[in-house]
């Protein structure tokens, strides 16, 4: 009998109901699932799930039953938006009701409890599919809402609105981390959220908008660490929304230079009268409006104003010109995968470090049962730490005793920077046809992974120390004796042409001439190459840890997931990867913006660790605001950049030892090689098994692997070298390899 039951169950499972293909994709995207995640759960290939979503094929047992179960559960969480009822043909425009609206998209629209509508009950005996859209109706005893002036027709390309459905799940942040606010010609304001959400915004003034965002909008995001803080709601104001709330659509020249509105602006005074406060950066492109916390609960709203240049085009591309719904999608994906933006990508990258590794935690209860804040081990703490004199940039207060125009040399200053090195091409290289640039993915992120750095402790000065590669710090040591013509690659001594390879110990690639300050990873690499070192003195940090590991993982996952959505997966072979990378940004311009923003978050976050003095009025020897941050840590920046440069040299040395191929130029994470063909496959040797030289460059999307940066002809390279070379200077071809364009500024015109 049990066998018969099993046969019946299998027969039913083989006909498990499935929604239409488009709905399958919508449900997956609504839950932020990738094709790879669904495929792994169902034990099928990614292409199989893609075919199910496109309608090219249908799932078969036993996968069909599991796939149907997945979609049914997602449909309960994310009901499909109800279609807008057709207006009666009375010749009068249909009145717009004052309820939230939504657009068809990858996630459902949800409404605050005070504005939502209950779904209509299904007729008795009617069969209701779990994927059928709920019908939105008002409660039977609801009073009719007053009529409102109909809105003008939407702009071309704008989504059409449909009646909202009740939220499938509650919670204080049911509407996501942010809204993009836009106003129409009737001064009605609509908030565009993630997943196609649209909300009517009732607030008539900026103070009322802040109140609404905290009390009714249900915006924000859960903390990234149990000891951290939830993300504040983010409101992005379009130019029309700015004007609706009394803000200028664009800043004046003086306001732009100041980075904020004047203290006497009417809107600033309006906020003050309503007991709202602004941070020291005032009401600028990125503004925080808050009241002091009460009962441990933050009351803060973040504003982002793209028309005031909040979204730098170097990081966000053309995001500021996007339609509100599309801008909400871009920022929403970034917020979900990285963190809710709090400023530029550099500021956000620094903020992410603290969000993932909070400085404090709750203590154990005291005698009265109360808990207090205490330092959280593994963090940078709450107090800033002075750098060692050699780590401090010029003008820092710890260098105030130096003469004003004193220039510090390598024996006084730690100079860990990325590569900027180039050389003339050899005769053999000139006979080849192409120059091929390869670029390391998220090079500084990959270098941050596993980096052991000093934590919340002052540097300790020691003389004639024994070098310890596990001890983070700065070391004064002479590395000029190291012969780069004979080095250890892996565990074997190999002969290299030192004239064709940059030194790993200086950013310029030149061989050191005497004692100099180096970060721990640089000195450790000298030992790895097979040479002894004898430091003269050092500044070390005994309390250490891998502070940046979580930061790297978060950004790595965001980058890889977004690239996968663009069709560039992790498990592609070399040729498949290059094919997938060809034109990948054109597949989804919005996600391409997110990829660039993630990359700039990595680079900018590391750069912010040594933010220099900015603005007028500062004088050398005086402190500047950034020094008050516990995250102002030039030693951590130096360690990461040192690791990135060392990683680059290690890979170039391994390739040279195995193939005799040397770079002609290196700029940060990009290396240029001469080759007979135009592809990176003409530079990097791959066997039939898909493996390349151990320890060298590998093609792929993961951080630390490389992609194709660009290809130009050798003749082009010779012309650039001739055009820009002067007084022994060799132009860095890696700077121009991507586009081949040399600007007038580069030529000195």
């Amino acid at each position: 009998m049990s066998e018969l039951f099993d046969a019946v169950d299998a027969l039913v499972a083989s006909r498990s109901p499935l929604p239409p293909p488009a709905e399958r994709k919508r449900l997956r995207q609504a839950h932020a699932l990738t094709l790879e995640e669904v495929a792994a759960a169902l034990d099928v290939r990614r292409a199989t799930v893609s075919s199910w979503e496109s309608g090219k094929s249908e799932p078969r047992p036993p996968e069909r039953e599991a796939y149907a179960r997945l979609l049914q559960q997602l449909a309960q969480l994310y009901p499909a938006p109800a279609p807008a009822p057709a207006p009666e043909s009375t010749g009068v425009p249909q009145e717009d009701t004052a309820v939230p609206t939504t657009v068809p998209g990858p996630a459902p629209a949800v409404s605050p409890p005070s504005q939502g509508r209950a779904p209509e009950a299904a007729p008795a005996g009617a069969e209701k599919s779990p994927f059928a859209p709920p019908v939105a109706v008002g409660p039977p005893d609801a009073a009719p809402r007053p009529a409102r002036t109909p809105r003008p027709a939407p702009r071309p390309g704008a989504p059409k609105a449909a009646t909202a459905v009740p939220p499938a799940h509650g919670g204080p942040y049911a509407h996501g981390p942010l809204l993009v606010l836009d106003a129409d010609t009737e001064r009605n304001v609509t908030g565009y959220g993630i997943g196609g959400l649209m909300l009517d915004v009732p607030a008539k003034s900026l103070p009322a908008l802040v109140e609404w965002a905290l009390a009714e909008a249900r915006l924000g995001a859960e903390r990234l660490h149990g000891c951290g803080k939830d993300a504040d709601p983010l409101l992005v104001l379009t130019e029309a929304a700015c004007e609706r709330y009394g803000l200028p659509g664009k800043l004046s020249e003086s306001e732009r230079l100041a980075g904020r509105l004047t203290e006497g602006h009417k809107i600033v005074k309006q906020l003050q009268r309503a007991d709202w406060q602004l941070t020291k950066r005032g009401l600028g492109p990125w503004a925080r409006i808050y009241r002091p916390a009460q009962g441990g609960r933050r009351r803060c709203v973040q504003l982002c104003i793209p028309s005031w240049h909040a979204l730098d085009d170097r990081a966000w591309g053309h995001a500021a010109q996007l339609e509100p719904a599309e801008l909400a999608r871009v920022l929403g994906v970034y917020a979900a995968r990285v963190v809710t933006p709090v400023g530029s990508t550099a500021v956000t990258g620094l903020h992410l470090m603290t969000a993932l590794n909070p400085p404090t935690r709750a203590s154990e209860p005291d005698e009265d049962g109360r808990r207090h804040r205490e330092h959280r081990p593994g963090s940078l703490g709450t107090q800033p730490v002075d750098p060692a004199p050699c780590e401090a940039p010029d003008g820092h207060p710890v260098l105030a005793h130096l003469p004003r125009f004193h220039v510090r040399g390598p024996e006084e200053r730690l100079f860990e920077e990325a590569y900027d090195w180039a050389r003339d091409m050899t005769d053999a290289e000139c006979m080849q046809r192409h120059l091929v640039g390869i670029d390391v993915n998220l090079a500084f992120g990959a270098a941050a992974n596993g980096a052991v750095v000093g934590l919340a402790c002052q540097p300790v000065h020691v003389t004639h120390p024994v070098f310890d590669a596990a001890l983070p710090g700065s070391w004064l040591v002479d590395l000029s004796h190291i012969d780069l013509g004979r080095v250890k690659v892996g565990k074997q001594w190999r002969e290299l042409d030192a004239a064709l390879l940059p030194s790993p110990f200086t950013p310029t690639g030149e061989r050191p001439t005497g004692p100099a300050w180096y970060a721990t990873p640089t000195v450790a690499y000298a030992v790895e190459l097979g040479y002894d070192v004898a430091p003269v003195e050092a500044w070390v940090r005994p309390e250490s840890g891998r502070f940046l590991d979580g930061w790297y993982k978060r950004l790595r996952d965001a980058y890889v997931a977004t690239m996968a959505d663009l069709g560039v997966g992790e498990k592609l072979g070399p040729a498949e990867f290059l094919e997938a990378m060809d034109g990948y940004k054109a597949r989804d311009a919005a996600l391409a913006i997110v990829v660039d923003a993630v990359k700039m978050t990595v680079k900018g976050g590391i750069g912010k660790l040594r933010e220099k003095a900015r603005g007028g009025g500062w004088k050398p020897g005086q402190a500047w605001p950034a020094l008050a941050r516990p995250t102002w840590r030039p030693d951590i920046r130096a360690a990461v950049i040192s690791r990135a440069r060392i990683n680059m040299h290690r890979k170039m040395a391994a390739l040279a030892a195995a193939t005799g191929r040397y770079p002609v130029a290196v700029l940060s994470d990009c290396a240029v090689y001469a080759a007979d063909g135009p592809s990176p496959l003409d530079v990097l040797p791959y066997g039939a098994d898909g493996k390349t030289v151990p320890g060298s460059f590998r093609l792929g999307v993961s951080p630390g692997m490389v992609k194709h940066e660009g290809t130009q002809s050798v003749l082009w390279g010779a012309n650039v070298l001739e055009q820009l070379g002067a007084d022994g200077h060799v132009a860095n071809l890696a700077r121009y390899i991507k586009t081949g364009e040399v600007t007038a500024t580069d030529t000195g015109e």
Side-chain angles (χ1 to χ4, degrees), residues 542-576:
E543 184 186 346
S544 61
R546 295 169 60 159
F547 171 74
L548 294 173
D549 277 12
W551 182 80
Y552 159 76
K553 186 179 185 302
R554 179 81 176 178
L555 290 164
R556 182 254 179 220
D557 291 348
Y559 177 77
V560 171
T562 310
M563 289 296 290
D565 290 341
L566 288 167
V568 186
E570 283 192 277
K571 297 184 179 180
L572 298 176
E576 294 174 313

Side-chain angles (χ1 to χ4, degrees), residues 16 378 410:
S16 296

Side-chain angles (χ1 to χ4, degrees), residues 31 92 240 274 315 494 665 681:
H31 205 59
V92 180
R494 305 298 294 268
L681 292 175

Side-chain angles (χ1 to χ4, degrees), residues 274-336:
D275 295 327
W276 289 106
Q277 301 179 30
L278 293 163
T279 59
K280 291 182 179 180
R281 61 182 175 184
L283 187 49
W286 290 92
R288 283 188 181 274
I289 304 175
Y290 71 98
R291 285 176 181 154
Q294 289 185 349
R297 184 175 180 83
R298 287 168 61 86
R299 296 184 296 169
C300 180
V301 172
Q302 177 89 40
L303 295 187
C304 167
I305 306 179
S307 61
W308 294 6
H309 304 291
L311 301 176
D312 188 346
D313 55 8
R314 291 172 296 180
W316 293 101
H318 64 287
Q321 284 74 51
L322 293 175
E323 291 294 320
E326 194 68 2
L327 178 57
R329 180 185 176 223
V330 169
L331 295 176
V333 171
Y334 180 91

